[in-house]
Amino acid sequence: MDFLTIIQVLDSTIRLSTPLLLACLAGLYSERAGIFDIGLEGKMLMAAFFSAAVAAVSGSVLLGLLAGIASSLVLAGLHGLASITFRGNQLISGVAINFLAAGMTVLVAQDWFKQGGRTPSLFGGARFEPIDWPLAETLSGIPVLGPIYAELLSGHSVLVYLAFLAVPGTWWLLYRTRFGLRLRAVGENPAAVDTAGVSVVGLRYAAVMICGVLCGIAGAYLATALQAGFVKDMTAGRGFIALAALIFAKWRPLHAMWACLLFGLLQAIALRFQNIDLGGVVIPVQVMDALPYILTVVILAGFVGKAIPPRAGGEPYVKER
């Protein structure tokens, strides 16, 4: 494998890990506040459809992004209503959101566009265009550093840079602000937060809404940047992979980024190398495609017992009279 091939694989890794990272950070906010959310997949799927649909109709990718975020916020609000206000089972609420999104997106897409549950292909202003860094073309000829700057760092859409900037932003918000301290405390001991006169319900709703915004951006990225339109079930389990990465990272932002990059690398390798020959033994493409999901199962089997979630996670808070 030569250097340029490595750069291309790493470039694909960054692109493929972006929706995972956004969804992982979304789950981080929600679960740190004590609300388990396995509906990340559904929110991403709904956002992917509405962002692609609105972008296709309006020709504006920004309107598509806003529509994707809005649709994800609606589902986040439903999850908050079920699990916070009505104190329902958070896992069942998340499963319901996933089923709702899987069925509704195809149904509305078929009724709207008559293309078998797809949206029209996006082009021009309906897609996020790559951003070329200054002098990228000029510096590309410099050995080693040139390809890293021109191919690996430059040429991504704005949502890619936003996702990776969200990692230090999330760390700062959670560990260096009063809001972050209260958010983490709500996930560990909501009664103590309530005693201090801070609204547990308000903080949990805030976390769920932040989760909705990030899932909306992740879904919009899938449909308007990574691909050029919506197709049925295009999230392909990314929401569940993001949850596995979150557990692997033990609910810490920086570790979550590296975990998502690992999953992205496996996906990039599967796309780049369809059949790998290891000493005469050919690994078929199906095995390569399954690698990220196999790693998900391994992580969940090996780390769930060792990774300690927020103590009040999954438990509805009942205010003492």
Side-chain angles (χ1 to χ4, degrees):
M1 186 186 299
D2 60 3
F3 180 70
L4 286 179
T5 302
I6 294 175
I7 292 294
Q8 291 169 356
V9 170
L10 293 178
D11 179 69
S12 297
T13 298
I14 292 174
R15 298 176 193 274
L16 293 168
S17 64
T18 296
L20 298 177
L21 179 57
L22 287 166
C24 189
L25 293 177
L28 176 64
Y29 279 103
S30 182
E31 298 196 8
R32 276 290 190 176
I35 303 297
F36 288 161
D37 192 353
I38 62 171
L40 300 176
E41 177 89 359
K43 287 195 280 285
M44 288 172 65
L45 189 62
M46 190 72 82
F49 167 68
F50 276 101
S51 62
V54 172
V57 171
S58 67
S60 171
V61 70
L62 292 179
L63 288 179
L65 175 62
L66 292 176
I69 292 174
S71 63
S72 179
L73 282 173
V74 169
L75 292 184
L78 286 175
H79 183 56
L81 191 67
S83 58
I84 301 173
T85 302
F86 295 119
R87 306 189 188 104
N89 188 294
Q90 297 172 10
L91 299 181
I92 293 176
S93 174
V95 170
I97 285 174
N98 290 335
F99 281 124
L100 175 65
M104 183 176 174
T105 50
V106 177
L107 181 66
V108 176
Q110 175 61 21
D111 182 68
W112 200 345
F113 299 107
K114 304 292 191 300
Q115 296 187 11
R118 303 165 60 98
T119 62
S121 296
L122 304 178
F123 56 89
R127 287 196 68 194
F128 280 103
E129 298 293 336
I131 298 174
D132 292 324
W133 287 19
L135 302 177
E137 190 68 29
T138 305
L139 299 176
S140 61
I142 299 176
V144 182
L145 295 180
I148 292 176
Y149 180 81
E151 301 290 337
L152 187 59
L153 300 180
S154 175
H156 299 286
S157 72
V158 65
L159 296 184
V160 174
Y161 301 116
L162 178 66
F164 284 91
L165 286 175
V167 175
T170 296
W171 177 87
W172 178 81
L173 186 64
L174 287 178
Y175 296 101
R176 289 295 183 268
T177 67
R178 182 178 298 178
F179 173 77
L181 175 63
R182 290 173 173 175
L183 191 73
R184 288 183 289 121
V186 161
E188 296 292 340
N189 192 343
V193 176
D194 194 15
T195 303
V198 180
S199 172
V200 173
V201 171
L203 280 171
R204 287 188 165 180
Y205 263 110
V208 168
M209 290 298 108
I210 294 173
C211 173
V213 171
L214 291 173
C215 282
I217 298 174
Y221 172 80
L222 279 175
T224 60
L226 188 63
Q227 299 184 31
F230 173 84
V231 295
K232 179 183 176 182
D233 294 332
M234 70 181 303
T235 47
R238 285 181 173 88
F240 300 109
I241 293 177
L243 283 175
L246 182 61
I247 295 170
F248 188 35
K250 298 182 179 179
W251 294 270
R252 291 174 291 184
L254 187 61
H255 296 72
M257 181 187 73
W258 293 115
C260 291
L261 284 171
L262 174 61
F263 282 108
L265 176 63
L266 290 178
Q267 290 180 340
I269 291 174
L271 289 174
R272 180 75 185 184
F273 305 102
Q274 296 295 304
N275 293 291
I276 295 182
D277 190 349
L278 296 178
V281 178
V282 178
I283 300 178
V285 63
Q286 290 82 3
V287 174
M288 300 302 299
D289 289 337
L291 274 180
Y293 305 98
I294 293 172
L295 182 61
T296 300
V297 174
V298 170
I299 286 176
L300 291 176
F303 287 87
V304 165
K306 299 176 183 178
I308 302 174
R311 282 185 295 176
E315 300 176 2
Y317 176 67
V318 182
K319 187 180 179 69
E320 296 181 2
R321 300 294 181 184

